[in-house]
PDB file of all heavy atoms in Angstrom:
ATOM      1  N   TRP A  27     -49.127  61.260  -6.288  1.00 85.00           N
ATOM      2  CA  TRP A  27     -50.092  61.059  -7.342  1.00 85.00           C
ATOM      3  C   TRP A  27     -50.792  62.420  -7.771  1.00 85.00           C
ATOM      4  O   TRP A  27     -50.960  62.714  -8.883  1.00 85.00           O
ATOM      5  CB  TRP A  27     -51.062  59.979  -7.003  1.00 85.00           C
ATOM      6  CG  TRP A  27     -50.511  58.585  -7.197  1.00 85.00           C
ATOM      7  CD1 TRP A  27     -50.252  57.720  -6.249  1.00 85.00           C
ATOM      8  CD2 TRP A  27     -50.037  58.084  -8.411  1.00 85.00           C
ATOM      9  NE1 TRP A  27     -49.714  56.579  -6.832  1.00 85.00           N
ATOM     10  CE2 TRP A  27     -49.589  56.787  -8.089  1.00 85.00           C
ATOM     11  CE3 TRP A  27     -49.949  58.518  -9.741  1.00 85.00           C
ATOM     12  CZ2 TRP A  27     -49.034  55.893  -9.083  1.00 85.00           C
ATOM     13  CZ3 TRP A  27     -49.397  57.680 -10.694  1.00 85.00           C
ATOM     14  CH2 TRP A  27     -48.950  56.455 -10.402  1.00 85.00           C
ATOM     15  N   LEU A  56     -55.286  59.015 -16.642  1.00 81.00           N
ATOM     16  CA  LEU A  56     -55.146  57.493 -16.527  1.00 81.00           C
ATOM     17  C   LEU A  56     -54.816  56.809 -17.839  1.00 81.00           C
ATOM     18  O   LEU A  56     -54.036  55.935 -17.795  1.00 81.00           O
ATOM     19  CB  LEU A  56     -56.481  56.926 -15.933  1.00 81.00           C
ATOM     20  CG  LEU A  56     -56.744  57.339 -14.527  1.00 81.00           C
ATOM     21  CD1 LEU A  56     -58.166  56.775 -14.157  1.00 81.00           C
ATOM     22  CD2 LEU A  56     -55.783  56.940 -13.575  1.00 81.00           C
ATOM     23  N   LEU A  59     -51.162  57.324 -18.293  1.00 82.00           N
ATOM     24  CA  LEU A  59     -50.402  56.358 -17.448  1.00 82.00           C
ATOM     25  C   LEU A  59     -50.424  54.987 -17.950  1.00 82.00           C
ATOM     26  O   LEU A  59     -49.350  54.326 -17.936  1.00 82.00           O
ATOM     27  CB  LEU A  59     -51.017  56.332 -16.014  1.00 82.00           C
ATOM     28  CG  LEU A  59     -50.902  57.619 -15.147  1.00 82.00           C
ATOM     29  CD1 LEU A  59     -51.610  57.446 -13.789  1.00 82.00           C
ATOM     30  CD2 LEU A  59     -49.456  57.989 -14.859  1.00 82.00           C
ATOM     31  N   LEU A  65     -48.202  51.906 -16.752  1.00 70.00           N
ATOM     32  CA  LEU A  65     -48.520  51.666 -15.332  1.00 70.00           C
ATOM     33  C   LEU A  65     -49.455  50.613 -15.148  1.00 70.00           C
ATOM     34  O   LEU A  65     -50.366  50.409 -15.905  1.00 70.00           O
ATOM     35  CB  LEU A  65     -49.009  52.955 -14.752  1.00 70.00           C
ATOM     36  CG  LEU A  65     -48.730  53.249 -13.313  1.00 70.00           C
ATOM     37  CD1 LEU A  65     -47.237  53.375 -13.029  1.00 70.00           C
ATOM     38  CD2 LEU A  65     -49.439  54.558 -12.906  1.00 70.00           C
ATOM     39  N   SER A  66     -49.212  49.764 -14.050  1.00 75.00           N
ATOM     40  CA  SER A  66     -50.160  48.587 -13.804  1.00 75.00           C
ATOM     41  C   SER A  66     -51.564  49.211 -13.353  1.00 75.00           C
ATOM     42  O   SER A  66     -51.761  50.270 -12.972  1.00 75.00           O
ATOM     43  CB  SER A  66     -49.609  47.825 -12.664  1.00 75.00           C
ATOM     44  OG  SER A  66     -49.718  48.510 -11.381  1.00 75.00           O
ATOM     45  N   ALA A  67     -52.537  48.291 -13.513  1.00 72.00           N
ATOM     46  CA  ALA A  67     -53.931  48.601 -13.188  1.00 72.00           C
ATOM     47  C   ALA A  67     -54.054  49.034 -11.748  1.00 72.00           C
ATOM     48  O   ALA A  67     -54.738  49.979 -11.394  1.00 72.00           O
ATOM     49  CB  ALA A  67     -54.823  47.422 -13.470  1.00 72.00           C
ATOM     50  N   SER A  68     -53.346  48.322 -10.847  1.00 73.00           N
ATOM     51  CA  SER A  68     -53.451  48.649  -9.365  1.00 73.00           C
ATOM     52  C   SER A  68     -52.875  50.166  -9.125  1.00 73.00           C
ATOM     53  O   SER A  68     -53.492  50.920  -8.373  1.00 73.00           O
ATOM     54  CB  SER A  68     -52.746  47.630  -8.548  1.00 73.00           C
ATOM     55  OG  SER A  68     -51.368  47.626  -8.792  1.00 73.00           O
ATOM     56  N   SER A  69     -51.851  50.451  -9.819  1.00 73.00           N
ATOM     57  CA  SER A  69     -51.267  51.785  -9.637  1.00 73.00           C
ATOM     58  C   SER A  69     -52.196  52.794 -10.231  1.00 73.00           C
ATOM     59  O   SER A  69     -52.252  53.958  -9.655  1.00 73.00           O
ATOM     60  CB  SER A  69     -49.898  51.907 -10.263  1.00 73.00           C
ATOM     61  OG  SER A  69     -48.940  51.060  -9.592  1.00 73.00           O
ATOM     62  N   GLN A  70     -52.823  52.527 -11.311  1.00 67.00           N
ATOM     63  CA  GLN A  70     -53.810  53.459 -11.955  1.00 67.00           C
ATOM     64  C   GLN A  70     -54.947  53.636 -11.018  1.00 67.00           C
ATOM     65  O   GLN A  70     -55.444  54.771 -10.811  1.00 67.00           O
ATOM     66  CB  GLN A  70     -54.340  52.890 -13.300  1.00 67.00           C
ATOM     67  CG  GLN A  70     -53.279  52.851 -14.336  1.00 67.00           C
ATOM     68  CD  GLN A  70     -53.832  52.269 -15.582  1.00 67.00           C
ATOM     69  OE1 GLN A  70     -54.876  52.510 -15.988  1.00 67.00           O
ATOM     70  NE2 GLN A  70     -52.983  51.255 -16.109  1.00 67.00           N
ATOM     71  N   ASN A  71     -55.489  52.605 -10.344  1.00 69.00           N
ATOM     72  CA  ASN A  71     -56.538  52.692  -9.396  1.00 69.00           C
ATOM     73  C   ASN A  71     -56.184  53.600  -8.242  1.00 69.00           C
ATOM     74  O   ASN A  71     -56.999  54.364  -7.725  1.00 69.00           O
ATOM     75  CB  ASN A  71     -56.967  51.346  -8.922  1.00 69.00           C
ATOM     76  CG  ASN A  71     -57.742  50.543  -9.962  1.00 69.00           C
ATOM     77  OD1 ASN A  71     -58.268  51.088 -10.847  1.00 69.00           O
ATOM     78  ND2 ASN A  71     -57.727  49.256  -9.829  1.00 69.00           N
ATOM     79  N   GLN A  72     -54.962  53.397  -7.805  1.00 68.00           N
ATOM     80  CA  GLN A  72     -54.451  54.231  -6.644  1.00 68.00           C
ATOM     81  C   GLN A  72     -54.448  55.702  -7.146  1.00 68.00           C
ATOM     82  O   GLN A  72     -54.887  56.614  -6.398  1.00 68.00           O
ATOM     83  CB  GLN A  72     -53.114  53.862  -6.229  1.00 68.00           C
ATOM     84  CG  GLN A  72     -52.560  54.572  -5.004  1.00 68.00           C
ATOM     85  CD  GLN A  72     -51.128  54.208  -4.573  1.00 68.00           C
ATOM     86  OE1 GLN A  72     -50.307  54.218  -5.513  1.00 68.00           O
ATOM     87  NE2 GLN A  72     -50.953  53.851  -3.405  1.00 68.00           N
ATOM     88  N   ALA A  73     -53.902  56.025  -8.277  1.00 67.00           N
ATOM     89  CA  ALA A  73     -53.863  57.378  -8.785  1.00 67.00           C
ATOM     90  C   ALA A  73     -55.214  57.921  -8.937  1.00 67.00           C
ATOM     91  O   ALA A  73     -55.499  59.038  -8.562  1.00 67.00           O
ATOM     92  CB  ALA A  73     -53.088  57.380 -10.202  1.00 67.00           C
ATOM     93  N   MET A  74     -56.112  57.115  -9.476  1.00 66.00           N
ATOM     94  CA  MET A  74     -57.514  57.662  -9.696  1.00 66.00           C
ATOM     95  C   MET A  74     -58.147  57.979  -8.355  1.00 66.00           C
ATOM     96  O   MET A  74     -58.718  59.089  -8.233  1.00 66.00           O
ATOM     97  CB  MET A  74     -58.381  56.570 -10.446  1.00 66.00           C
ATOM     98  CG  MET A  74     -59.792  57.099 -10.682  1.00 66.00           C
ATOM     99  SD  MET A  74     -60.825  56.010 -11.625  1.00 66.00           S
ATOM    100  CE  MET A  74     -60.880  54.536 -10.408  1.00 66.00           C
ATOM    101  N   GLY A  75     -58.057  57.126  -7.433  1.00 64.00           N
ATOM    102  CA  GLY A  75     -58.615  57.408  -6.102  1.00 64.00           C
ATOM    103  C   GLY A  75     -58.100  58.621  -5.433  1.00 64.00           C
ATOM    104  O   GLY A  75     -58.891  59.423  -4.912  1.00 64.00           O
ATOM    105  N   LYS A  76     -56.899  58.883  -5.486  1.00 60.00           N
ATOM    106  CA  LYS A  76     -56.311  60.051  -4.801  1.00 60.00           C
ATOM    107  C   LYS A  76     -56.594  61.298  -5.593  1.00 60.00           C
ATOM    108  O   LYS A  76     -56.782  62.350  -4.935  1.00 60.00           O
ATOM    109  CB  LYS A  76     -54.774  59.869  -4.652  1.00 60.00           C
ATOM    110  CG  LYS A  76     -54.389  58.670  -3.570  1.00 60.00           C
ATOM    111  CD  LYS A  76     -55.180  58.895  -2.357  1.00 60.00           C
ATOM    112  CE  LYS A  76     -56.190  57.783  -2.182  1.00 60.00           C
ATOM    113  NZ  LYS A  76     -57.172  57.999  -1.232  1.00 60.00           N
ATOM    114  N   THR A  77     -56.602  61.320  -6.876  1.00 58.00           N
ATOM    115  CA  THR A  77     -56.946  62.574  -7.556  1.00 58.00           C
ATOM    116  C   THR A  77     -58.379  62.898  -7.361  1.00 58.00           C
ATOM    117  O   THR A  77     -58.808  64.030  -7.181  1.00 58.00           O
ATOM    118  CB  THR A  77     -56.621  62.426  -9.099  1.00 58.00           C
ATOM    119  OG1 THR A  77     -57.269  61.300  -9.633  1.00 58.00           O
ATOM    120  CG2 THR A  77     -55.116  62.317  -9.318  1.00 58.00           C
TER     121      THR A  77
END
Side-chain angles (χ1 to χ4, degrees):
W27 283 117
L56 294 175
L59 293 177
L65 209 63
S66 70
S68 63
S69 293
Q70 291 174 49
N71 288 335
Q72 184 185 53
M74 180 177 66
K76 293 308 111 199
T77 54

